[in-house]
Amino acid sequence: MIERLAWVTAREARGLDEDESIALTALKRTGVAVDVVDWNDPGVAWSSYDRVVLRSAWDYPQHLPEFLNWVEDVDTVSELVNPPATVRWNLDKQYLAELAEDGVSITPTVFVHPGATARFPDGRFVVKPAVGAGSRDAAWYGPDEHHSATAHVARLHAAGLTVLIQPLLASVAQDGEWPMVFFGGTFSHAASKRVTLPRAGAVEALFAAEANAEHSASPDQISVATKALESVARRLGTPTYARVDLVRDDNGRYCVLEVELIEPSLFLPFADATAADRFAEVLIHSPG
């Protein structure tokens, strides 16, 4: 068991992480000393911690080169959770193509690389960057808004980003998404999430507004999410914590929208009373 742990956040995220107080209370019960620190605070002595846990460093997409340097530097003097290889793989949502190669059901997705021309599906659709967090720079468009969507793609391409284009699934408006949370590779709990994406615009805050609730996961949901996590584990090892976001496709089947392995919200306020203790245990005992 470790003795000192750094809970990593960002200055702009202070007070916004609903998991934080619940998890810190659980960690306190273990006897481990925990400090809440900003990832880019030059005054932090990272080598003084046995483990450095990425939690709410939600501004990293706006400081990506600096963040990646920090990830590598910290891992040379402490143990970063989740580890650098997992962070790098999960940064770019093109990992969805790798999951699909492993037979994981994913949301229909087209990747448009800088310099390529975007082709939009019939009906409503979503445009978002392959590298991003909190639904920033994501928006949905109607079938008569291809001109605005093209401008959105061009803006992301100008920033050097690959773009994802996905149909706006009809079920999302009705059912939302289902985040499936895993600790140490074992399913822990689920939640229901509704994200308000702007129409023909972009999220300017750290993350888009959400409406969340408790959810009891079905066997089918757990099966799809577990298959996605097994695909990750074969490539990178089992992550200490993970979140697999599911939606229903237009055929009513569950599919993976995203896999969150860097700094995901874990929906502890909507979990059972022992979820925070399970999280604390993997943080202090898991090899990361």
Side-chain angles (χ1 to χ4, degrees):
M1 178 171 137
I2 66 171
E3 295 181 357
R4 297 196 70 208
L5 181 147
W7 178 280
V8 179
T9 183
R11 182 179 58 81
E12 292 181 70
R14 293 275 182 161
L16 301 178
D17 181 5
E18 294 183 344
D19 295 328
E20 187 173 292
S21 63
I22 300 171
L24 293 182
T25 298
L27 283 165
K28 184 177 181 180
R29 289 194 288 267
T30 71
V32 170
V34 181
D35 292 331
V36 179
V37 290
D38 297 343
W39 69 269
N40 54 357
D41 182 347
V44 177
W46 300 106
S47 60
S48 67
Y49 297 103
D50 302 303
R51 188 159 293 155
V52 176
V53 180
L54 277 165
R55 290 311 312 130
S56 49
W58 294 331
D59 63 348
Y60 76 82
Q62 290 75 57
H63 309 279
L64 193 54
E66 180 185 359
F67 177 74
L68 288 175
N69 287 336
W70 173 83
V71 164
E72 299 297 337
D73 290 346
V74 166
D75 200 58
T76 63
V77 298
S78 184
E79 181 188 14
L80 186 70
V81 176
N82 283 316
T86 300
V87 170
R88 289 193 299 270
W89 182 85
N90 197 223
L91 275 171
D92 192 325
K93 293 180 181 64
Q94 292 180 85
Y95 65 73
L96 288 169
E98 297 182 38
L99 297 182
E101 289 173 2
D102 287 351
V104 177
S105 298
I106 68 166
T107 302
T109 304
V110 173
F111 304 97
V112 186
H113 300 281
T117 301
R119 299 183 184 280
F120 304 114
D122 296 334
R124 298 183 296 176
F125 58 93
V126 175
V127 173
K128 59 185 176 183
V131 177
S135 298
R136 284 181 59 94
D137 289 319
W140 69 271
Y141 297 88
D144 59 344
E145 296 176 306
H146 287 197
H147 179 76
S148 296
T150 298
H152 187 171
V153 171
R155 178 167 57 83
L156 295 175
H157 279 176
L161 296 171
T162 295
V163 174
L164 275 64
I165 299 175
Q166 300 171 322
L168 184 61
L169 299 175
S171 67
V172 172
Q174 178 179 337
D175 301 323
E177 307 170 16
W178 295 279
M180 311 285 288
V181 178
F182 292 77
F183 297 143
T186 300
F187 174 71
S188 171
H189 60 276
S192 172
K193 178 175 76 167
R194 294 177 183 273
V195 179
T196 305
L197 279 184
R199 180 169 184 177
V203 175
E204 298 299 336
L206 276 181
F207 49 84
E210 297 179 1
N212 306 317
E214 298 177 5
H215 175 69
S216 180
S218 70
D220 284 349
Q221 288 177 320
I222 295 173
S223 176
V224 173
T226 298
K227 187 171 184 178
L229 197 60
E230 289 172 346
S231 174
V232 170
R234 285 193 295 272
R235 288 178 165 80
L236 301 159
T238 301
T240 298
Y241 51 84
R243 198 184 85 209
V244 182
D245 290 348
L246 302 181
V247 293
R248 285 188 198 271
D249 66 19
D250 287 339
N251 294 311
R253 296 175 297 209
Y254 294 114
C255 58
V256 174
L257 179 66
E258 292 186 12
V259 175
E260 300 278 1
L261 304 174
I262 301 175
E263 32 55 87
S265 295
L266 299 172
F267 295 89
L268 293 179
F270 308 97
D272 61 272
T274 61
D277 292 314
R278 293 195 297 272
F279 183 39
E281 284 299 309
V282 297
L283 290 185
I284 65 175
H285 291 298
S286 170

